[in-house]
Amino acid sequence: MKKIGIVMLILLFMAACGNRDEDVIEPVKTERELDQRATSVQFREIDVNLESEQFHIIGEVSSSGGLFYYHVELDGEIIQEETFEEVENSNSEWNRFQIVETLPNDVLEGNSPPVMVLYGKNESGEPINENYIPIDTQK
């Protein structure tokens, strides 16, 4: 009889622990979920400025999925991995964006200009509407 009372007490305690009325933490979106959002993307009014090792890209984007992707290439090799930016107000047709990145010194001193690639992704996760923007590192 005493064992039944202890088991009941443990079950009651476990049930009380499972019934919290706290906020539920949303899981981080998977890359697949993000890929499904970015089905169409367009860019306009792109401006590139280089200050020391940092470059600033400012422009406008129209994205049906509310985000876009970018990476930096040098001679066809990716030197800065893919990153995504969420569009602040995806209900608007065009939204301002700004990207600030730092380039390594060897890239700044090289002869070939690095290229920022802005794009969206289709449902299969493949890049679409790629825009190649050279970054002039020559002073």
Side-chain angles (χ1 to χ4, degrees), residues 74-133:
L74 180 63
D75 296 328
E77 264 187 60
I78 296 176
I79 61 171
Q80 286 187 338
E81 294 299 318
E82 178 180 272
T83 306
F84 70 89
E85 289 284 326
E86 292 196 65
V87 176
E88 288 181 23
N89 183 4
S90 60
N91 294 332
S92 174
E93 187 171 328
W94 291 98
N95 295 281
R96 303 273 309 152
F97 72 89
Q98 177 176 338
I99 299 171
V100 178
E101 292 285 341
T102 303
L103 293 171
N105 281 332
D106 59 331
V107 172
L108 292 170
E109 295 168 357
N111 292 331
S112 299
V115 176
M116 167 76 78
V117 183
L118 302 169
Y119 53 95
K121 288 189 175 183
N122 62 17
E123 292 82 13
S124 301
E126 298 167 350
I128 57 171
N129 300 344
E130 294 172 304
N131 292 264
Y132 296 85
I133 302 162

Side-chain angles (χ1 to χ4, degrees), residues 35-52:
D35 288 347
Q36 291 176 345
R37 288 178 44 191
T39 56
S40 172
V41 65
Q42 296 177 338
F43 300 93
R44 71 179 185 189
E45 298 184 23
I46 304 289
D47 187 31
V48 180
N49 294 310
L50 182 67
E51 296 175 14
S52 185

Side-chain angles (χ1 to χ4, degrees), residues 4-18:
I4 293 175
I6 291 174
V7 170
M8 296 286 282
L9 185 62
I10 291 173
L11 288 174
L12 181 64
F13 177 73
M14 290 177 67
C17 289

